[in-house]
Amino acid sequence: MPQYWLISVPANGNKDSSFQSLRSSVSEMAEANALELPEFKIGTLDTLVVLSDELIKYDQAFEATVVKMVDNLKALLRGDLAQLEEALTVNEKPVDHFLKSFQWNSMKYRADKPLKEIAELINQEGSSIDSSMKAKMSQYNGVKSTLTNIERKQTGNLAVRGLADIVQREHCVLNSEYLQTLFVAVPKNLYKEWDAKYETLSEMVVPRSSVKIAEDGDYGLFSVNVFQRVANEFSLKCREEKFIVREFEYNEEQLEEDKKEYEETEASEREQWKALLQWCKTSFGEVFSSWIHIKVLRVYVESVLRYGLPLDYTTAMIKPKSKGESKIRDLLLKKYASLGGSLGQDDKNDQLDEYQGLVDREYTPFVLFNIPWTVFDKEK
């Protein structure tokens, strides 16, 4: 899916003829669609110059928001490109369809308003969506992080994972004034050392109280009963022997609370994910549409500044075929070289190339703005 171009060239009194000439020139390497714009209230030259600078900032801000929205959707859909492509729609149509058939939304952005007011209105909408997106993603990521931390306790080996779903009531000495049950993760290659040493790691260890209650690929989890007064000393001695005493106290009420917290957090994450995904889908269409309206305003303003009055130019949306951008650009530079004045004459192409290199490598004698919509280029 190659990027798109918005282009305007002088019509010389006949917009249709000018467009047909443009389309014919690029037909083998690109698809061109005419773009009809309202007759805006132009205002003064000074106003247009200032607005031109503002529109550059608006354009950049919108592009950043669109990119972030796509990234968020990709993350929410866990990189599923098929679902992502279905989600990236404008007015329930694919982006490609929206760009090819773009029409100015006169209901939202009335052409009888000053250009500056229209641009500010569009920009405010984009800023509002961007702010909402940041707030909603922050809230969702907070819940997701909490859920991840809870789930992390249920994964990993026995040296690090939570023990709530492993240790049962019968594994513990409960309600004893003197005794305490400790749980120790012992590396599998140290089982013999554990059996031989655990009773003598400190005083007051209950003989033959060690019981293996779980095992994974790396560790075995053993319960052992000691007197409460030596629990700290026993733990220190275990550490010296590379036995890992796990901090765990069997508490049925706490276990129920932990289970309830997990279920509530999981449900909250699921509901927020669903709502956020739908919001992002809808908001993408809105912000993308607003972005293209800003692009179109840039074309309009730049055309007035470049070609002057009365308004006499043709605007088109061009979709270059894959890897054909540079060829089309060269073709259009030659076709409209005369718009560059003396630097654009056919017999002074070298001078034009030199001028472009010194002033701006992206300069064209006609109005041209890029719409960098290349979301799926690398994947396809």
Side-chain angles (χ1 to χ4, degrees), residues 92-110:
E92 299 182 352
K93 301 291 184 181
V95 169
D96 186 66
H97 180 277
F98 171 76
L99 290 173
K100 290 179 181 179
S101 59
F102 176 84
Q103 291 183 330
W104 184 267
N105 190 338
S106 299
M107 296 293 291
K108 288 183 68 175
Y109 314 122
R110 290 169 46 188

Side-chain angles (χ1 to χ4, degrees), residues 178-180 198-207 209 224-231 233-234:
Y178 303 105
L179 293 178
Q180 177 179 351
Y198 82 89
E199 293 180 352
T200 59
L201 289 175
S202 72
E203 296 181 347
M204 309 181 102
V205 177
V206 178
S209 63
V224 60
N225 297 326
V226 303
F227 278 73
Q228 294 175 10
R229 59 185 294 186
V230 301
E233 179 187 353
F234 183 84

Side-chain angles (χ1 to χ4, degrees), residues 53 78 154 244 319 328 335 351 353 356 363:
D53 291 337
R78 297 172 177 82
Q154 301 176 355
I244 303 170
K319 178 185 178 182
I328 302 174
K335 180 177 179 63
Q351 191 177 0
D353 292 340
Q356 288 179 239
Y363 171 82

